[in-house]
């Protein structure tokens, strides 16, 4: 099946500085793809090139199998939801949603039908006569989404659409986005710096670093097996431990087991799964209700862990067990490679 969006070695420079470097990307029909990474990684530049607002310095962009590299935005069958919503304040909700259809010359009868369907899909038919200033932030975002969907685009582009909402509304809108995408089967590309947002919404996660793909795959796969330290740190891994055999591994704090001399089991107990044990000293213990977050230092490296032992105190000698099932080997960077 022909991909809906395909980027073939796409690059983009600004004043001689590369923002995107030979980027390859394939987005299949009905797939929800998330482009994420820190500021300056190239995710918004990539989305703007797909939309046609920027031309690549090199490479090709194919939409529905056709070369669209030099095609202007109005000739690409794309819907876009902006971070700022970009609603027309002087138009009613209904006319905002109908705007793209009118610009495409859709006949009045069809225009009214598709506008009504889009408003019903986002649950705002009852607000069709209001102006944007009479709506909440979440309602405005749903109107922007309805406008983009009404034109029945080949691909829906979402440029950090939830970043202006408060935490509670963001969660609600994530659920709304997921429902609408599944109901319509629309192909979508989301740009975000929010890992939780991408993990919840995406079928395919693409993590960018300095304009190139650091890792891509299903969210569970990427989160469970980060390809390198950059990806691990971006996804919130905080522990990077050098083992006696020279390997560097990462492990999430909730998987590190903390043992004291008074613990009923020892790290060497045959009932525990295999792994690595290191000696450490606790430098901080923070109570958070159901457990404690502890900071320990082992061979000069800081390790975070969680524990249900509320008797732990700063300065205690402990042993940290890193179960093999939860440790992830990280490849060495070029700087860490041994020299011959």
């Amino acid at each position: 099946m022909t991909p809906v969006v395909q980027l073939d070695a796409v690059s983009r420079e600004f004043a001689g500085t590369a923002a995107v470097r030979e980027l390859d990307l394939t987005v299949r029909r009905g797939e929800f793809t998330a482009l994420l990474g820190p500021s300056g990684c190239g995710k918004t530049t990539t989305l703007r090139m797909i939309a046609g607002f920027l031309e690549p310095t090199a490479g090709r962009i194919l939409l529905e199998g056709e070369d669209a590299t030099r095609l202007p935005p109005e000739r690409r069958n794309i819907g876009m939801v902006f971070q700022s919503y970009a609603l027309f304040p002087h138009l009613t909700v209904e006319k905002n949603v109908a705007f793209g259809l009118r610009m495409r010359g859709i006949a009045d009868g069809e225009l009214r039908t598709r506008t009504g369907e889009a408003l019903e899909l986002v649950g705002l038919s009852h607000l069709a006569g209001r102006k944007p200033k009479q709506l909440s932030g979440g309602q405005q975002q749903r109107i922007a989404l309805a406008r983009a969907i009404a034109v029945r685009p080949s691909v829906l582009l979402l440029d950090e659409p939830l970043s202006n909402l408060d935490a509670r509304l963001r969660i609600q809108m994530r659920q709304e986005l997921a429902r609408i995408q599944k109901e319509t089967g629309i192909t979508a590309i989301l740009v975000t710096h929010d890992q939780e947002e991408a993990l919840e919404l995406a079928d395919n996660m693409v993590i960018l670093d300095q304009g190139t793909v650091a890792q891509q795959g299903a969210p569970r796969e990427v989160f469970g097996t980060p390809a390198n330290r950059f990806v691990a740190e971006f996804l919130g891994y905080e522990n990077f431990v050098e083992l006696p055999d020279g390997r560097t591994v990462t492990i999430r704090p909730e998987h590190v087991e903390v043992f004291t001399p008074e613990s009923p089991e020892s790290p060497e107990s045959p009932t525990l799964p295999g792994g690595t044990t290191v000696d450490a000293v606790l430098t901080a213990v923070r109570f958070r209700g159901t457990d404690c977050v502890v900071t320990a230092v082992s061979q000069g490296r800081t390790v975070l862990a969680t524990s249900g032992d509320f008797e732990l105190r700063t300065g205690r000698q402990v042993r940290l067990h890193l179960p093999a099932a939860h440790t992830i080997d990280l490849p060495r960077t070029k700087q860490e490679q041994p020299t011959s």
Side-chain angles (χ1 to χ4, degrees), residues 38-61:
S39 297
C41 71
K43 55 187 184 294
T44 297
T45 298
T46 299
L47 198 76
R48 291 176 64 82
M49 287 192 289
I50 295 171
F53 299 139
L54 290 173
E55 282 193 7
T57 306
R60 292 195 311 156
I61 298 173

Side-chain angles (χ1 to χ4, degrees), residues 5 15 18 26 40 48 56 64 94 120 137-138 143 162 167-168 184 188 205 234 252 285-286 299 319 333:
V5 178
T26 298
R48 291 176 64 82
E64 302 275 12
E94 183 177 33
E120 185 176 351
I143 294 305
L162 310 183
R168 181 179 59 84
T184 61
M205 279 176 62
F234 180 75
R252 298 193 70 81
V285 179
R286 299 183 299 280
Q299 298 177 341
R319 305 198 76 189
T333 64

Side-chain angles (χ1 to χ4, degrees), residues 238-239 252-260 280-288 291-297 301-316 318-321:
E238 299 173 275
N239 291 329
R252 298 193 70 81
E254 60 268 27
H255 294 142
V256 178
E257 298 170 333
V258 183
F259 292 90
T260 67
V281 177
L282 298 183
T283 58
V285 179
R286 299 183 299 280
F287 174 74
R288 62 176 187 182
D291 61 11
C292 294
V293 178
V294 303
T295 304
V297 173
R301 293 179 179 268
T302 298
V303 180
L304 295 180
T306 61
S307 174
D309 184 351
F310 298 111
E311 300 303 316
L312 293 175
R313 296 290 182 269
T314 300
R316 287 293 307 270
V318 296
R319 305 198 76 189
L320 305 178
H321 183 64

Side-chain angles (χ1 to χ4, degrees), residues 145-158:
L145 182 59
R147 181 178 59 189
I149 289 173
V151 299
R152 296 177 183 170
S154 297
V155 60
L156 176 66
L157 305 181
L158 303 155

Side-chain angles (χ1 to χ4, degrees), residues 16-92:
T17 300
V20 176
R21 309 164 188 262
E22 298 186 351
L23 183 66
D24 293 321
L25 177 68
T26 298
V27 181
R28 297 174 179 81
R29 192 171 307 281
E31 188 173 70
F32 201 132
T33 294
L35 304 179
L36 69 162
S39 297
C41 71
K43 55 187 184 294
T44 297
T45 298
T46 299
L47 198 76
R48 291 176 64 82
M49 287 192 289
I50 295 171
F53 299 139
L54 290 173
E55 282 193 7
T57 306
R60 292 195 311 156
I61 298 173
L62 284 77
L63 300 176
E64 302 275 12
E66 299 293 327
D67 192 338
T69 310
R70 309 299 171 198
L71 210 60
E74 65 272 16
R75 293 184 58 194
R76 304 184 186 206
N77 186 26
I78 281 175
M80 189 155 186
V81 178
F82 298 92
Q83 183 176 346
S84 61
Y85 316 146
L87 300 178
F88 298 107
H90 62 290
L91 298 181
T92 64

Side-chain angles (χ1 to χ4, degrees), residues 131-205:
K131 298 287 181 64
K133 67 181 180 181
Q134 297 173 292
L135 306 177
S136 69
Q139 289 170 333
Q140 289 184 45
Q141 191 58 285
R142 282 191 278 169
I143 294 305
L145 182 59
R147 181 178 59 189
I149 289 173
V151 299
R152 296 177 183 170
S154 297
V155 60
L156 176 66
L157 305 181
L158 303 155
D159 186 11
E160 303 210 38
L162 310 183
S163 61
N164 287 338
L165 303 178
D166 63 37
R168 181 179 59 84
L169 275 176
R170 270 203 308 275
I171 293 171
Q172 290 177 356
M173 279 303 298
R174 281 207 300 260
Q175 296 168 346
E176 191 78 353
L177 266 178
R179 176 187 67 80
I180 289 169
Q181 195 272 333
K182 295 303 179 189
E183 284 186 14
T184 61
I186 196 168
T187 306
I189 302 176
L190 168 72
V191 159
T192 182
H193 62 272
D194 187 325
Q195 304 95 312
E196 189 175 311
E197 197 172 282
L199 288 165
E200 183 174 336
L201 290 170
D203 304 306
N204 181 39
M205 279 176 62

